[in-house]
Amino acid sequence: MSSREAAKMEDILAAKADLLGMIKEYLKFEVFEETVHSFDKECKSKGQVVSNHQGSTLRDAKTRGIQKDLLSSFDDGDHKVFFELWTENIPSEIKDTDSEAQSLEFYLHIHFTIYPLRRHPGIHDRAEFEERISHFKQYLETRGAALSQTTEFLPYYALPFVPNPTVHPSFKDLFRDSWIPQLKYKLEQFMSVTLKPSNTPRLLNLYKDGGRSSKEAMQQLQLQLVESDRRITSHVRKFNKMQADYHNLIGITAELVDTLEATVSGKMISPEYLQSVCVRLFSSQMRQSVVQSTDFTRPGTGYYSMSPYDDGYASSMLRASIAPQRSKEVPMLPSLDYEKLKKDLVEGSDRLRSLLLQALRWRLTRSLPGEQRDTVLQAFISNDLLERYSTKQKLVLHLMRSKNEITRQYMARLINAFASLAEGRAYLSQIPILLKLLTEALRTEEKDSQTRKNVLVALQKLSLRRSQQTAMIADNLIGWLVDELQDSDCLSDFTLEYSAALLMNLCLRTKGKRKCAETAKHVLKVLTDLLGHENHEIRPYVNGALYSILCIPSVRQEAKEMSVEEILHCYSKEDNPDLNRQIEFIIKQLNSADEEGPESDDEEEEDDNDEDLMETDLDIEEVLQPQPRELSGESLLTTEYLGIMTNMAKVKRKSTPLPQPSVDEPLQRPVTPSSHRNAV
């Protein structure tokens, strides 16, 4: 045997002896005396060496070493070493919940921050102090934020902004000779209790630590996944905004090239045309000032009105650069047997129903935008997937009342996917029972469950259509929303945002305003309270709702009695020019003497929004996962439900872009949070 092999064998024997020693230690700890005796006897008969560990002695030595290192780094002002040891050795349940530990940690951060100023107040130490101040700021914004409401610690939140803390009266105690010894004594007392050696056997500690590590790692991964989803949504939104701006600029550039070519050839350009280009070119904050300050009738311009589409070669090339590229052949998804699908959705097991609902939603959400997705949706509609024309007792939509939570959730997800597309909303609007099922689920499902979230979002998207607004108002959804928003601190940001946006859409209708007027004081109280909510994403919807209902004289009178104008002035002091201007419009509406206008609900108008709103997060947090060898998704549909010629291609109606509201004014047209974010 070589020396390397001999050394390896020694390591293996030492590890086995160590493990047997831990087993024996655990058996002794649990007082298995007969088992210990049998264990010793059997190990001896087999020639197995059992290490005689002095577990407590080793733990005592380790604990003393940690305490010594913590105190040494405290004395040396070495914050990096100290907090590395602190993080590794102080249990999370103590650091995060024990008030004494949190208080001590706060003062320790102060100690290490001002350490350079206490020891050697020189130029180099000043530079180091600036570096430590940045670490202290980071602490105050993260772990230290929890103590910001405590009077004892509040003055120290100003420490990073004081040029010379050594002479500031608020911090004079920190530079007294007695402050460090007192803090060190508190640290020693805390360590003597927290880092007291435990008699717990090493085997049990290994098991507990391993389980905790796995659990903490899983929780960390889940948090990272949620954060990644949030960043993806944010980046997609920014990309869509940049792409829209780019296309707008290219279009304007092409028109200006046309204008230049026309001018060279002697044609005259009308002031109105130039003004329209400027209005499109500049952002809403600059439009009014640019248009007012530009004299479009100065000498050199005439009144010949040229068409922006009399393209020259250069402008044609510019427009061609952003024209949708004729894609390669996009494969159409296989046709399905919808009759069999609907039968199994109604009569199948809960798991089969859920898998089918998931697969149908994925077919819609994961299809390519454009012809492929349009064909999928048209196939769903033409084959009446949700059975709007059926007279049967049991319908697919009745799955919203299923006893199985996953089935209800996946039915709600599919309805939400339908509502994300303009043609889908038109289809859903023709199903009489749908709104009743959705509002029923909204009132009965648990708060912030995925089922309720999807129902809320679907209703919010359906509120873009006038017929659905009318039905929701008649069902007193406004009253329910106001009561829900009254307890806003108990709602997630998601629920809060979509509830506020839905309420605003309903308040834009005359019947909705009058419904609010019935309980004006309650509605105004809830809306003005929401203005102060920390989630600023809801402000445009709250402002829009306030502006709308204040056109009712009785609501204006109630608002004046409640001093709403003074409340609005308080919020207009915030550093947000756009929202400040919106508040100015609301105050102007509050002080107007206009009578209520005629009812517009019965007028024949087109629906307010016909754009597609397919978000990227429709398929997140899937709770249904296929079992081994179980069919799911597209493979389930094409294996078990293949049909013949059920995909009906249809030319999609081209939507007319709606005029984008100025950010200066409260919203006055129905929107969804996703469409509003993309427009802003």
Side-chain angles (χ1 to χ4, degrees):
M1 182 182 294
S2 66
S3 58
R4 180 178 296 180
E5 290 175 339
K8 186 177 180 181
M9 183 60 69
E10 287 178 9
D11 290 340
I12 293 173
L13 292 173
K16 288 176 72 174
D18 197 25
L19 180 58
L20 291 171
M22 284 193 285
I23 294 171
K24 183 177 178 179
E25 181 191 22
Y26 177 74
L27 294 173
K28 281 186 174 181
F29 178 77
E30 296 291 352
V31 199
F32 290 114
E33 294 179 358
E34 293 182 11
T35 308
V36 170
H37 179 71
S38 300
F39 181 77
D40 281 336
K41 185 177 179 181
E42 190 166 358
C43 286
K44 189 174 182 180
S45 67
K46 292 185 176 182
Q48 298 284 354
V49 178
V50 180
S51 64
N52 187 19
H53 275 99
Q54 300 297 323
S56 59
T57 305
L58 291 172
R59 283 192 290 270
D60 286 345
K62 182 182 178 183
T63 301
R64 284 195 297 271
I66 293 169
Q67 292 176 341
K68 183 179 178 182
D69 290 342
L70 280 167
L71 291 173
S72 175
S73 55
F74 176 89
D75 292 334
D76 297 339
D78 192 339
H79 65 286
K80 293 180 180 177
V81 171
F82 182 91
F83 284 112
E84 186 177 328
L85 290 168
W86 179 273
T87 302
E88 289 176 358
N89 296 286
I90 307 299
S92 299
E93 57 269 22
I94 295 177
K95 286 186 296 186
D96 297 337
T97 60
D98 185 80
S99 58
E100 182 183 345
Q102 291 175 333
S103 171
L104 178 61
E105 184 178 356
F106 191 94
Y107 284 119
L108 286 168
H109 274 281
I110 293 176
H111 162 67
F112 287 110
T113 300
I114 64 173
Y115 183 86
L117 300 182
R118 291 185 58 91
R119 293 296 176 179
H120 306 290
I123 185 68
H124 297 295
D125 293 302
R126 183 71 196 183
E128 185 184 353
F129 172 68
E130 295 297 336
E131 181 187 348
R132 293 188 180 217
I133 276 290
S134 66
H135 288 292
F136 186 54
K137 278 184 184 177
Q138 186 178 4
Y139 165 73
L140 293 179
E141 293 168 359
T142 51
R143 289 184 58 80
L147 300 175
S148 62
Q149 304 302 317
T150 308
T151 308
E152 177 187 354
F153 304 107
L154 200 55
Y156 300 112
Y157 283 80
L159 180 60
F161 309 101
V162 175
N164 189 359
T166 58
V167 297
H168 196 283
S170 298
F171 308 122
K172 60 182 179 181
D173 289 343
L174 302 179
F175 295 94
R176 287 180 178 164
D177 293 337
S178 60
W179 191 78
I180 286 185
Q182 289 172 357
L183 181 61
K184 186 174 181 179
Y185 176 74
K186 288 181 181 179
L187 175 61
E188 289 171 337
Q189 293 297 308
F190 177 77
M191 289 191 301
S192 67
V193 175
T194 308
L195 297 178
K196 184 189 297 182
S198 169
N199 291 324
T200 307
R202 286 192 302 153
L203 189 62
L204 187 58
N205 283 330
L206 283 172
Y207 176 78
K208 287 166 61 180
D209 290 345
R212 186 187 304 119
S213 299
S214 300
K215 186 177 179 181
E216 289 177 354
M218 183 64 71
Q219 290 174 342
Q220 188 65 29
L221 287 172
Q222 289 175 340
L223 290 173
Q224 290 174 2
L225 180 61
V226 171
E227 178 62 18
S228 296
D229 287 338
R230 187 193 66 77
R231 284 201 303 266
I232 288 170
T233 304
S234 174
H235 290 321
V236 168
R237 190 186 309 144
K238 289 176 182 177
F239 169 76
N240 290 338
K241 177 69 166 58
M242 289 175 63
Q243 188 178 52
D245 288 345
Y246 168 71
H247 283 196
N248 187 40
L249 285 172
I250 290 294
I252 292 172
T253 304
E255 292 185 23
L256 291 177
V257 170
D258 286 338
T259 306
L260 185 60
E261 290 177 350
T263 305
V264 170
S265 62
K267 295 179 181 178
M268 311 275 295
I269 312 302
S270 73
E272 291 79 14
Y273 170 66
L274 288 178
Q275 185 170 348
S276 71
V277 172
C278 284
V279 168
R280 289 170 53 206
L281 181 60
F282 294 101
S283 64
S284 55
Q285 295 95 325
M286 299 173 62
R287 283 176 188 166
Q288 189 172 1
S289 60
V290 169
V291 172
Q292 289 177 348
S293 62
T294 306
D295 181 10
F296 293 102
T297 59
R298 67 186 185 280
T301 58
Y303 292 87
Y304 175 84
S305 179
M306 69 170 287
S307 166
Y309 298 104
D310 289 338
D311 296 344
Y313 175 75
S315 60
S316 298
M317 293 296 291
L318 280 167
R319 289 194 181 93
S321 70
I322 59 168
Q325 297 297 314
R326 188 170 184 82
S327 58
K328 298 177 182 177
E329 283 296 320
V330 177
M332 292 297 103
L333 295 173
S335 297
L336 302 176
D337 183 345
Y338 285 92
E339 292 307 313
K340 183 182 178 184
L341 263 170
K342 287 185 278 187
K343 184 175 184 295
D344 284 356
L345 281 169
V346 172
E347 300 176 3
S349 66
D350 286 332
R351 182 161 185 85
L352 177 60
R353 290 169 174 175
S354 300
L355 285 167
L356 287 174
L357 291 169
Q358 182 188 57
L360 290 165
R361 168 168 49 87
W362 283 354
R363 179 170 265 231
L364 198 56
T365 59
R366 298 182 179 185
S367 55
L368 298 174
E371 186 179 358
Q372 190 183 69
R373 180 172 291 166
D374 295 343
T375 305
V376 169
L377 179 61
Q378 188 54 38
F380 285 179
I381 294 172
S382 60
N383 290 282
D384 196 18
L385 179 62
L386 300 183
E387 301 182 311
R388 66 178 174 186
Y389 297 122
S390 177
T391 56
K392 294 185 296 184
Q393 290 284 359
K394 286 188 175 181
L395 301 176
V396 172
L397 279 172
H398 284 149
L399 293 179
M400 283 301 305
R401 291 174 175 166
S402 169
K403 294 180 180 179
N404 185 279
E405 196 280 329
I406 295 179
T407 303
R408 295 198 308 275
Q409 178 189 143
Y410 277 62
M411 185 71 247
R413 283 176 180 257
L414 180 60
I415 294 170
N416 186 15
F418 265 92
S420 301
L421 303 170
E423 297 289 345
R425 291 194 291 277
Y427 172 65
L428 294 176
S429 299
Q430 299 172 37
I431 306 177
I433 195 176
L434 177 68
L435 271 184
K436 180 182 178 182
L437 291 170
L438 292 180
T439 54
E440 181 183 283
L442 193 65
R443 291 179 168 105
T444 57
E445 291 288 341
E446 291 185 11
K447 282 190 177 183
D448 289 326
S449 68
Q450 278 296 328
T451 307
R452 195 175 191 242
K453 283 182 179 180
N454 278 275
V455 167
L456 175 61
V457 177
L459 283 169
Q460 207 285 321
K461 292 170 182 174
L462 286 170
S463 72
L464 298 174
R465 300 187 64 85
R466 293 178 61 80
S467 63
Q468 301 303 289
Q469 293 169 0
T470 302
M472 291 179 201
I473 294 167
D475 196 34
N476 195 31
L477 194 55
I478 286 179
W480 185 88
L481 286 167
V482 172
D483 291 341
E484 184 79 355
L485 289 167
Q486 183 178 14
D487 197 11
S488 59
D489 289 338
C490 295
L491 302 177
S492 67
D493 286 344
F494 182 94
T495 300
L496 188 63
E497 188 174 355
Y498 274 89
S499 298
L502 175 55
L503 177 62
M504 186 203 75
N505 285 359
L506 300 182
C507 288
L508 296 174
R509 298 291 300 280
T510 304
K511 287 180 179 176
K513 297 170 190 175
R514 290 177 180 171
K515 179 66 73 173
C516 290
E518 294 173 7
T519 55
K521 186 173 183 178
H522 179 44
V523 174
L524 288 168
K525 174 70 167 60
V526 171
L527 289 175
T528 50
D529 285 348
L530 287 173
L531 286 173
H533 197 278
E534 61 184 10
N535 182 358
H536 286 192
E537 295 290 333
I538 67 172
R539 291 285 288 272
Y541 315 121
V542 177
N543 289 344
L546 273 173
Y547 184 80
S548 293
I549 66 175
L550 285 172
C551 76
I552 305 288
S554 61
V555 178
R556 289 202 298 268
Q557 182 59 39
E558 187 67 52
K560 289 173 183 176
E561 293 175 7
M562 293 173 61
S563 303
V564 168
E565 183 172 354
E566 286 74 12
I567 296 172
L568 291 170
H569 278 302
C570 290
Y571 293 118
S572 68
K573 294 175 183 177
E574 296 181 12
D575 187 21
N576 191 324
D578 296 335
L579 289 176
N580 290 347
R581 283 190 286 273
Q582 289 183 19
I583 288 177
E584 289 173 12
F585 274 94
I586 297 171
I587 293 173
K588 185 178 179 181
Q589 178 84 301
L590 172 61
N591 293 319
S592 71
D594 296 340
E595 292 299 316
E596 182 183 349
E599 184 168 339
S600 62
D601 291 341
D602 298 326
E603 294 176 4
E604 289 294 327
E605 290 186 27
E606 290 188 12
D607 288 307
D608 293 285
N609 193 319
D610 60 355
E611 66 175 313
D612 291 342
L613 310 162
M614 188 72 79
E615 299 99 340
T616 58
D617 55 358
L618 278 169
D619 295 331
I620 64 169
E621 298 184 32
E622 296 280 2
V623 294
L624 185 65
Q625 300 296 333
Q627 296 171 354
R629 299 183 182 178
E630 183 178 39
L631 293 173
S632 66
E634 195 63 25
S635 61
L636 171 62
L637 295 179
T638 54
T639 303
E640 300 292 338
Y641 299 93
L642 204 58
I644 301 173
M645 293 298 292
T646 54
N647 285 344
M648 305 293 289
K650 177 184 176 183
V651 177
K652 185 180 179 183
R653 175 171 59 93
K654 187 175 181 181
S655 63
T656 304
L658 293 170
Q660 294 298 334
S662 167
V663 292
D664 299 348
E665 303 177 22
L667 292 169
Q668 297 170 54
R669 297 184 68 89
V671 298
T672 68
S674 58
S675 65
H676 178 63
R677 283 191 292 263
N678 289 339
V680 173

